[in-house]
Amino acid sequence: MKNKIFLSSMLIMSVAPAMAENFPSNGLMQQNKTYDNAATSTNMDGVYEGTVNATAEYETINYLLNAGKYLPKDSETITTCPAGSFCAGGETVQYNENLAQGIETCPSGFGSSADGSSSNTQCYRACDINNVGDSITAIAHATAISGNDYYGNGTDTCEPTACENGWHLKPGAPDLINIIGNTEVKKVGSTIYNAAIRNNGEKVRQANVWGMTEKNTWAVDYGDKGRIAGHGRCSTSQGFMDGDFDGYNWSNPTVYETLVDETGNTGAQYCYCKLDSYTPSGESLISVSTPWVYTQNPGSASSCAEDCAVICADNLAFTYSSDLRFRAAFFGFVGNPLASCEANTITINWSNADAEDVSANNAGTATYGSDVRTPVKAQTIKGKTFKGWRFSAPEQTTTSGNNG
């Protein structure tokens, strides 16, 4: 009997109303509450007897959509924009039982997109070699292409995979802005994996380990992002980081395809850096070229000669804000990351022409589809009048296999 009394007491306690409170001043009664002495005409909108309505009030929830996100129909969960659509974001929406909010279908003809796309310029179609006359997907001298053609001002990735006769496939330059980006130099403990050789031959950091020998060279290792290498050079040609003043934004740095003077000249105090190669981690070296890009004025020709290659290595290794701005500008000069069809260079063997007469007119080679330059003159043959040169394909050498 005592046990039964105890269980009844526990049951009564479990269903007891929440602690009593004063009636809310705004009149909005909350769930699971007891309001002390609140059943008055003042609180019940003048009702003394009979019936009073207690009407539930709700406030609409606003959902803020970030770029690449939307609110599906009949859902309260913000979701990543699906492929084939784009979601601009930046707007506030409400729940809708029948309509998704903040999502649009990609434009007609450009029905593909990646998950999380936020603009119609991220919608694309496959590049098509048969789109004759389409300036976007028609690549000069290509017989097959790959990649995507993006809507509007989207950045297309159409590139050739095969070329017409007379043209060869030139691979695109590695996109170091995206491959390396803001990656910091590789470090293991106190060891920093970049290197330089000063103008006096002194080797800095990993130059000995990596077998570097040439003066004014530098290299930076980004670990699994690969390694870059290049040259530094001090010039008398004044450089600027931003085109018109010596700031640290590198929005428009001074560049030269060639520098007429080199480290060691009097007054050569302006340090320039040039990229020569990129080596993906575990793969073979790729030749990559940039112009000479201005980076710093160490103050004197002697200081520049000593420090220029080191400055190039450090500015491309570390992730201070000014270094990252220089890196982005520097990598921006690497070139187009897309492949292209490049005209073949054909060697011309001129018979009965002296080498100096061929060289004088740069007649030894011709670029397919371009000009042919002839030698200055043909050799004089006694008893003969020179009529001209006629092209003929060289005889093909065949090798017979041994079937016996």
Side-chain angles (χ1 to χ4, degrees), residues 46-352:
V47 174
Y48 287 87
E49 59 184 3
T51 301
V52 64
N53 297 323
T55 304
E57 295 184 11
Y58 293 87
E59 183 177 23
T60 299
I61 299 173
N62 291 319
Y63 300 88
L64 177 61
L65 301 179
N66 293 322
K69 302 290 185 179
Y70 81 112
L71 186 67
K73 69 177 183 179
D74 195 26
S75 174
E76 297 179 280
T77 303
I78 295 174
T79 305
T80 298
C81 201
S85 305
F86 65 96
C87 305
E91 61 177 320
T92 300
V93 299
Q94 290 83 40
Y95 167 88
N96 190 300
E97 182 179 0
N98 301 309
L99 295 175
Q101 305 295 305
I103 186 172
E104 295 186 56
T105 302
C106 280
S108 176
F110 295 80
S112 299
S113 69
D115 291 347
S117 295
S118 59
S119 168
N120 61 7
T121 58
Q122 293 173 280
C123 298
Y124 63 89
R125 60 183 179 179
C127 300
D128 186 354
I129 194 67
N130 296 314
N131 286 346
V132 178
D134 187 331
S135 60
I136 296 175
T137 60
I139 298 175
H141 309 292
T143 57
I145 60 176
S146 65
N148 296 325
D149 170 20
Y150 286 84
Y151 181 78
N153 294 325
T155 302
D156 300 318
T157 59
C158 301
E159 60 181 344
T161 56
C163 300
E164 299 171 352
N165 290 336
W167 303 77
H168 63 275
L169 190 66
K170 179 183 178 182
D175 185 1
L176 299 185
I177 291 177
N178 287 314
I179 294 172
I180 295 176
N182 294 345
T183 304
E184 192 170 4
V185 61
K186 178 182 175 182
K187 294 180 181 178
V188 177
S190 60
T191 302
I192 299 174
Y193 280 72
N194 73 348
I197 301 182
R198 303 182 193 273
N199 188 50
N200 63 5
E202 179 188 351
K203 296 183 178 182
V204 178
R205 300 193 184 111
Q206 303 302 305
N208 266 327
V209 178
W210 293 344
M212 296 168 59
T213 58
E214 189 178 347
K215 293 179 180 179
N216 293 323
T217 54
W218 54 264
V220 181
D221 192 331
Y222 299 99
D224 61 2
K225 300 293 185 179
R227 183 189 299 179
I228 61 173
H231 280 75
R233 177 170 290 182
C234 297
S235 174
T236 58
S237 299
Q238 184 175 6
F240 297 95
M241 298 172 184
D242 301 294
D244 56 357
F245 67 94
D246 226 17
Y248 286 90
N249 290 320
W250 280 284
S251 60
N252 183 27
T254 302
V255 297
Y256 289 98
E257 291 297 330
T258 58
L259 287 174
V260 295
D261 50 6
E262 299 184 17
T263 301
N265 288 5
T266 302
Q269 64 189 56
Y270 299 98
C271 177
Y272 290 80
C273 307
K274 178 177 174 64
L275 182 66
D276 296 327
S277 67
Y278 167 65
T279 307
S281 180
E283 300 181 28
S284 300
L285 179 147
I286 301 170
S287 293
V288 180
S289 181
T290 65
W292 293 100
V293 182
Y294 175 72
T295 181
Q296 194 170 320
N297 176 5
S300 68
S302 60
S303 295
C304 188
E306 180 179 2
D307 294 331
C308 186
V310 178
I311 290 170
C312 294
D314 285 350
N315 281 3
L316 290 162
F318 301 114
T319 54
Y320 299 107
S321 58
S322 60
D323 293 328
L324 290 179
R325 288 193 293 270
F326 172 74
R327 185 191 299 187
F330 187 70
F331 287 165
F333 291 106
V334 168
N336 194 329
L338 300 177
S340 61
C341 290
E342 187 171 82
N344 295 339
T345 298
I346 300 171
T347 300
I348 304 175
N349 296 318
W350 299 98
S351 67
N352 297 96

